[in-house]
Amino acid sequence: MTALSPDLRLWDPPVTYRIGVAMGVDTHPYSGELLRAIRAAAAQAGCDVVLADTEDTVGEEAAVVRALRADLVDGVLLVPSAGDEAVINGLVRMGVPTVLVDRVAARNDVDQVGTENVHAVASLVRHLTDRRHRKIGLISGDEGLEVSRERIRGYRLGLEQAGLRFNRELVESGFSNAGGATRATAKLLDGWPSPTALVVADEAMLVGVQYEAHRRGIRIGSELAVVGYGDMDWARRVSPAVTTLVQPIADLGRRAVQLLMSRMADPDRPPESVWLTPKFLHGASCGC
């Protein structure tokens, strides 16, 4: 008979963490898919998920994160709202294991996972310049978000790579919502120079662009080229289908859980930023 050391553990009990997820549940087209991916990855890791709806506002975000902390969650996955970073600063200061998801911040003291924006949007611009477009407008997102600023930089980079000069008159903010995008599209189309093509910086704003073009009787694809950033089921069903960069939402959710698990297991490791590559999905809205 083999004698076992009394110090040798025959098995380890499963470690279960409670993960708080703070995000705007109904404010983003991808929220449902992201949450499903997070829950699936958490379940596989033996973790429970506590969901808190930030309503995509800074005030509500602060309130729900306080509630999550009071509920004794072990870590937080946060899709930050536009505005100041007081909530992020507080989580970092208190040493709460935290991962920013999708909407990354310009900082290196917290784990983050998002999609690459600068070179991705530049590739959209080059796709349009390859179609001989020279007056390319941008419907940018909420300027309080770092992701919006990155996509503006990508737009400018794409113009520079094509030998085109940046024109501030061809950029309008759609504030990351359909109504804002409708107004921004109208302003660009009524302005001078009027764009022959539009880059739309996120999926929520594509609805507004489509609405305003339809209201004016402008045929997308033949009279106005439109490309966007995001993955919407409806964008593949409309005619013409929209040319977009598709975010790997399921991978974002899985990678976010993995990063948080690593942080909770090793609180002292250096913060990590993970950038996932979006996929180019060609439709006919770009006119080709």
Side-chain angles (χ1 to χ4, degrees):
M1 179 179 294
T2 303
L4 298 178
S5 166
D7 296 326
L8 181 63
R9 301 170 67 178
L10 297 180
W11 63 80
D12 287 318
V15 176
T16 300
Y17 293 110
R18 299 182 73 241
I19 297 174
V21 178
M23 60 188 293
V25 174
D26 297 318
T27 52
H28 308 293
Y30 59 78
S31 296
E33 182 182 357
L34 179 61
L35 184 57
R36 286 191 295 274
I38 289 171
R39 281 177 165 155
Q44 187 174 14
C47 298
D48 293 328
V49 170
V50 181
L51 175 64
D53 186 1
T54 66
E55 299 178 6
D56 209 23
T57 65
V58 172
E60 190 64 21
E61 178 180 279
V64 301
V65 169
R66 283 196 299 270
L68 288 173
R69 292 293 297 137
D71 201 25
L72 301 179
V73 297
D74 298 293
V76 173
L77 299 179
L78 173 64
V79 180
S81 304
D84 66 52
E85 297 182 358
V87 171
I88 303 172
N89 292 337
L91 290 168
V92 171
R93 185 173 59 252
M94 292 184 292
V96 179
T98 302
V99 177
L100 306 185
V101 186
D102 184 43
R103 292 176 170 179
V104 297
R107 54 195 302 161
N108 58 9
D109 58 349
V110 63
D111 292 313
Q112 310 186 70
V113 57
T115 49
E116 201 284 322
N117 292 296
V118 177
H119 294 284
V121 172
S123 72
L124 283 178
V125 175
R126 291 197 307 273
H127 183 72
L128 293 171
T129 60
D130 288 346
R131 296 288 302 169
R132 302 186 183 279
H133 288 283
R134 294 296 178 265
K135 293 181 289 184
I136 301 171
L138 173 69
I139 308 292
S140 63
D142 192 316
E143 295 179 5
L145 295 170
E146 177 62 19
V147 65
S148 297
R149 296 190 287 270
E150 287 184 350
R151 291 175 187 176
I152 293 173
R153 290 198 292 272
Y155 167 77
R156 298 189 67 152
L157 175 62
L159 293 176
E160 180 183 336
Q161 291 171 337
L164 299 176
R165 182 174 297 178
F166 172 77
N167 184 345
R168 183 63 186 82
E169 299 301 315
L170 286 171
V171 179
E172 288 293 334
S173 176
F175 299 99
S176 299
N177 62 70
T182 299
R183 294 185 291 273
T185 303
K187 189 171 182 178
L188 286 176
L189 294 178
D190 288 338
W192 183 261
S194 182
T196 62
L198 290 177
V199 177
V200 186
D202 78 29
E203 55 270 281
M205 297 190 297
L206 272 167
V207 176
V209 175
Q210 290 269 347
Y211 170 83
E212 185 60 21
H214 178 74
R215 189 184 72 82
R216 291 170 178 251
I218 295 174
R219 291 176 295 177
I220 290 178
S222 57
E223 297 175 315
L224 178 68
V226 173
V227 297
Y229 198 115
D231 184 19
M232 309 73 56
D233 287 339
W234 66 262
R236 293 190 286 273
R237 298 192 185 106
V238 296
S239 181
V242 183
T243 296
T244 63
L245 288 171
V246 177
Q247 294 171 278
I249 298 299
D251 289 341
L252 278 175
R254 286 192 292 268
R255 194 69 182 94
V257 172
Q258 292 170 359
L259 273 180
L260 189 59
M261 295 291 291
S262 297
R263 172 61 56 197
M264 291 186 293
D266 183 5
D268 297 323
R269 70 171 180 79
E272 183 177 354
S273 294
V274 176
W275 309 105
L276 304 179
T277 303
K279 177 183 177 182
F280 182 79
L281 186 65
H282 187 266
S285 66
C286 55
C288 57

